[in-house]
Amino acid sequence: MTMQVGDRAGLTDTGRRRRRNEDSYVLDPPLFAVADGMGGAQAGEVASRLAAAAFHEYREADELEPERRVEALVQEANRRVYERSREDANASGMGTTVTAALVEGDSVAIAHVGDSRAYRIRGDALEQLTEDHSLVADLMRSGRLTPEEAEAHPQRSVITRALGTDPEVDVDTFAVGLKPDDVFLLCSDGLTTMVPDEEILRIVHESSSLDRAARALVKAANKRGGEDNVTVVLFRVDADGADPPLDETVRLDPPARDGDTDELEDTLTEAAPVPPVAEPVAARAPAEPAARPAPAPPRRRRSRRAFAVVAALLFVALLLLVAFWGLANAHFVGAEEDGSVAVYQGLPYDVSEGFPLYRPRYVSTLHAAQLTQEERTELFDHELMDYGAARDRLARYEDEGVP
Ligand code: CA
């Protein structure tokens, strides 16, 4: 059965913490995409907009099969971002994620680089279709982090694959089968790090149109802190000849749907679906125990109680001592928000949002995306060591002469 795009909507918002919006999106049925840019000054915006523009303009791929076409679009977008970053010193090191979807026939072709995501909502199930190319996703895949630890990880926004770092980019592409009434969501990590999967599903179900759903999703992300730019693109597919596509500027109640029982083959060909297990972003690393003022010494209370107080104080003092020792002597290898590999002094945790227990002591010109998966797993294992050892460890990769 041939499917067509029905209701659809796209929305981007700066969020509540960032000053600029570095996200872009494409709502050009049957082609959809989100791009989340990164880089100093305004480079992140430039990167994501260049990628989105390439999607609008590049028509040479029109002859290709859907999966090859959407991949060719991503490669073209990559070339443009890469070339600009080489020509323009201000744009050096910029990059962007891209998650794109192209609806054709009875399937949707997905192409994906970075940590933006594609989801399919079918009935009561929300299925994540893409795998994040990020530092924490690598650590989770190698079993070093649990999903809960990954969510609270201070470097959860570091991506390991991006457009713009190399002349060619490794793109995940696959096709997913369609059934009437399937809804697809493409979004930047500003949504998924703020709003748990169950709430995303609930909002889409409870909204009377996808335009309203997009607004409600952005609102939910901002309500939970809005720490990053948030972008959502939503589209619904219908059997060809069903409801005509709605103009996204016109808000209508959803057309009544009679339970279409046409059993379509679910042709999930290559996707590696990751079951939605997101938990609310709440559990941060436990805060350092603060030294409380010593209680006024009891007169002649039971000595057992005095002993307990002294023991507790000693324990706190010991914890603080260990923490200070850790902060002063421990170093680990990680990566900055823009992907630059760095040596950090301290421990790889936040005391609370925005108060990390570590600071960069050395930032390398080496980029996380220039390393192989194995190298990243080896380098970013959070093993604590002294500064010299951390530098030596990094020097090996720097000496390998990455372009
Ligand atoms: Ca982001």
Side-chain angles (χ1 to χ4, degrees):
M1 184 190 292
T2 307
M3 308 291 282
Q4 65 174 17
V5 175
D7 193 12
R8 68 269 182 157
L11 189 61
T12 186
D13 189 80
T14 308
R16 295 173 59 189
R17 296 285 179 88
R18 302 286 170 98
R19 288 174 54 214
R20 321 188 70 95
N21 190 346
E22 300 185 320
D23 289 358
S24 296
Y25 70 89
V26 174
L27 189 68
D28 192 7
L31 182 63
F32 304 88
V34 297
D36 176 352
M38 61 183 189
Q42 297 171 33
E45 283 161 84
V46 173
S48 76
R49 276 169 206 169
L50 278 173
F55 274 70
H56 286 299
E57 294 161 12
Y58 187 64
R59 291 288 168 231
E60 283 166 49
D62 284 359
E63 314 291 296
L64 301 172
E65 287 292 298
E67 269 182 73
R68 299 285 73 80
R69 198 188 320 162
V70 75
E71 178 173 1
L73 283 165
V74 172
Q75 292 292 1
E76 173 65 15
N78 177 62
R79 267 190 294 280
R80 294 187 187 191
V81 178
Y82 177 71
E83 273 160 23
R84 175 72 72 88
S85 78
R86 289 178 60 102
E87 287 162 7
D88 180 353
N90 292 327
S92 159
M94 73 176 176
T96 184
T97 72
V98 159
T99 301
L102 175 67
V103 178
E104 191 167 292
D106 60 358
S107 66
V108 55
I110 308 266
H112 164 68
V113 175
D115 66 351
S116 300
R117 288 181 182 173
Y119 289 91
R120 177 175 63 187
I121 298 166
R122 175 176 286 175
D124 289 332
L126 176 86
E127 183 183 11
Q128 186 182 328
L129 302 170
T130 49
E131 274 189 359
D132 295 347
H133 304 136
S134 69
L135 190 64
V136 290
D138 283 356
L139 289 168
M140 266 168 66
R141 279 191 282 270
S142 63
R144 290 177 192 274
L145 283 184
T146 65
E148 292 72 28
E149 285 167 339
E151 275 177 16
H153 197 280
Q155 293 175 339
R156 61 189 176 274
S157 60
V158 173
I159 57 174
T160 49
R161 238 198 261 180
L163 268 61
T165 55
D166 289 286
E168 290 261 313
V169 63
D170 188 10
V171 186
D172 287 357
T173 51
F174 52 88
V176 202
L178 296 176
K179 283 186 179 181
D181 236 16
D182 280 349
V183 171
F184 287 80
L185 164 67
L186 310 181
C187 58
S188 62
D189 67 330
L191 177 72
T192 48
T193 53
M194 292 284 113
V195 186
D197 284 4
E198 309 84 74
E199 192 177 339
I200 293 176
L201 182 64
R202 185 184 58 73
I203 288 172
V204 173
H205 274 159
E206 289 177 0
S207 300
S208 57
S209 69
L210 293 184
D211 183 57
R212 284 183 187 171
R215 285 162 204 269
L217 288 171
V218 168
K219 200 171 159 189
N222 283 331
K223 206 170 152 192
R224 287 173 175 267
E227 280 168 29
D228 195 0
N229 309 143
V230 50
T231 301
V232 297
V233 164
L234 287 155
F235 60 92
R236 188 190 306 277
V237 293
D238 302 305
D240 201 5
D243 317 296
L246 300 177
D247 183 334
E248 53 269 20
T249 59
V250 181
R251 287 199 243 155
L252 293 173
D253 286 328
R257 283 163 207 289
D258 46 357
D260 190 340
T261 50
D262 266 4
E263 271 307 307
L264 275 185
E265 257 310 290
D266 181 0
T267 51
L268 181 62
T269 52
E270 201 193 306
V274 181
V277 285
E279 292 282 307
V281 182
R284 320 279 321 172
E288 265 330 285
R292 291 160 188 279
R299 295 207 158 212
R300 288 275 294 163
R301 294 268 168 88
R302 272 174 233 147
S303 61
R304 254 167 70 186
R305 189 157 168 201
F307 176 77
V309 169
V310 169
L313 285 174
L314 278 176
F315 182 67
V316 169
L318 188 69
L319 276 184
L320 287 173
L321 203 66
V322 168
F324 282 124
W325 180 87
L327 290 177
N329 292 293
H331 293 81
F332 64 97
V333 178
E336 292 280 276
E337 281 224 6
D338 69 357
S340 305
V341 179
V343 171
Y344 294 90
Q345 180 182 28
L347 301 171
Y349 303 104
D350 284 356
V351 176
S352 67
E353 186 59 44
F355 292 96
L357 276 176
Y358 58 89
R359 63 179 181 96
R361 190 160 166 197
Y362 166 77
V363 178
S364 170
T365 52
L366 187 66
H367 196 278
Q370 293 171 315
L371 300 166
T372 65
Q373 176 90 35
E374 294 75 44
E375 288 170 339
R376 285 195 300 266
T377 308
E378 205 180 305
L379 203 53
F380 301 134
D381 63 356
H382 288 171
E383 193 186 309
L384 298 176
M385 61 194 95
D386 67 36
Y387 181 64
R391 281 296 299 272
D392 286 350
R393 204 168 173 199
L394 205 51
R396 272 192 291 139
Y397 296 94
E398 288 173 325
D399 291 346
E400 276 166 22
V402 205

